[in-house]
Structures are given as structure tokens and as C-alpha cells.
Amino acid sequence: MISQISIFAENKKGSLSTVTGILKDENINIEAMIINDSGEYGIIRMLVDDPQRTYDILKGKGYLVHIDSVYAVDMQDTPGSLNGLLSAISESGVNVDYVYISFSRSKANPIAVFHTEVADGLEESLAWKGYKLL
């Protein structure tokens, strides 16, 4: 499992660029990101190169921020890869809360990032089925 930063932010003009500007000024690299909105507020979820430092900085700036544990899995860049991964997870009896796709800059292949309740044996099960977890 890896650490993901979740930020609860007001859904207004300039909010996202304010957050990314803070990270730029602090030399923090965003490796993956997804944003979900719900009217007046949104949740910015991201993988960064220094999650604890990012948490401390954003918390210090007054943001409601949380560190979550998520799974990240290398995938093939072929049709059906995500379906195969999700089927393998389902066969393990685990429910996925959300998923998003990013890309490995070094390998140029997709990475599936997903959140679920901590599931004993899931990492081993996926590894046994040939998936490489980050």
C-alpha cells in the first residue's frame, strides 16, 4: 500500500491552482491526481513524492487534509487490463471504493490506483496472479 493525500477544498475559481501553487513552491511533485466535486466542495486526491510533508504543509495552510492508504498496481497498456485487475480483486472478495488511472513516467505504462478497506491477503493474492504492486 502507498500513501495518498486527500484534500477537502472549496469548489471555486482558483482553488486548485492555489493548492498546486503551494506544492510547486515547496518543490513537491504530483505523481497522480483525481478530483471529484460535489457542488460547493470537492475532494482532491493525489499521489505525491513526499506525502507526510505535503500533509504537514497543507494542514499548516488551513486545509482539511487526510492521508489514506491506497493500492497502486502496474498494468499492461492493453484492452481489458483494468477489467482483469478488477476481476482479480473481486475474486478476492474485496469491494473497491474508487479507482483512477495514472501512468508511470519511467516505464510509460498505466498504473491503477484504488482504495478499499484494508483486506488481509489482497496484496499476496494479486502478486500470485501476476500483478506488481507499488
Side-chain angles (χ1 to χ4, degrees):
M1 295 181 81
I2 61 174
S3 295
Q4 169 188 264
I5 297 293
S6 297
I7 307 157
F8 188 66
E10 195 171 4
N11 189 5
K12 68 177 187 177
K13 184 173 147 182
S15 290
L16 182 58
S17 66
T18 300
V19 170
T20 59
I22 292 167
L23 300 183
K24 175 191 70 91
D25 292 345
E26 295 292 337
N27 201 33
I28 293 172
N29 192 32
I30 299 169
E31 298 168 347
M33 182 169 63
I34 187 169
I35 304 164
N36 302 97
D37 74 343
S38 59
E40 295 180 23
Y41 292 91
I43 300 173
I44 305 166
R45 292 184 171 108
M46 62 178 74
L47 303 182
V48 294
D49 60 351
D50 193 339
Q52 187 61 53
R53 187 165 160 260
T54 302
Y55 172 87
D56 293 341
I57 289 166
L58 292 173
K59 189 80 166 171
K61 298 277 187 183
Y63 285 93
L64 180 57
V65 61
H66 183 71
I67 297 180
D68 298 301
S69 293
V70 295
Y71 296 91
V73 179
D74 272 334
M75 295 188 336
Q76 297 296 314
D77 192 8
T78 58
S81 293
L82 180 59
N83 179 257
L85 172 61
L86 293 174
S87 294
I89 295 168
S90 180
E91 289 167 7
S92 298
V94 174
N95 182 53
V96 173
D97 297 323
Y98 59 82
V99 63
Y100 58 96
I101 305 297
S102 185
F103 277 86
S104 167
R105 293 176 182 136
S106 62
K107 299 177 188 175
N109 65 294
I111 297 171
V113 179
F114 66 94
H115 182 269
T116 184
E117 293 300 317
V118 175
D120 291 334
L122 178 60
E123 290 184 46
E124 293 82 5
S125 174
L126 290 175
W128 185 81
K129 292 177 181 180
Y131 291 98
K132 182 177 182 284
L133 281 87
L134 306 178

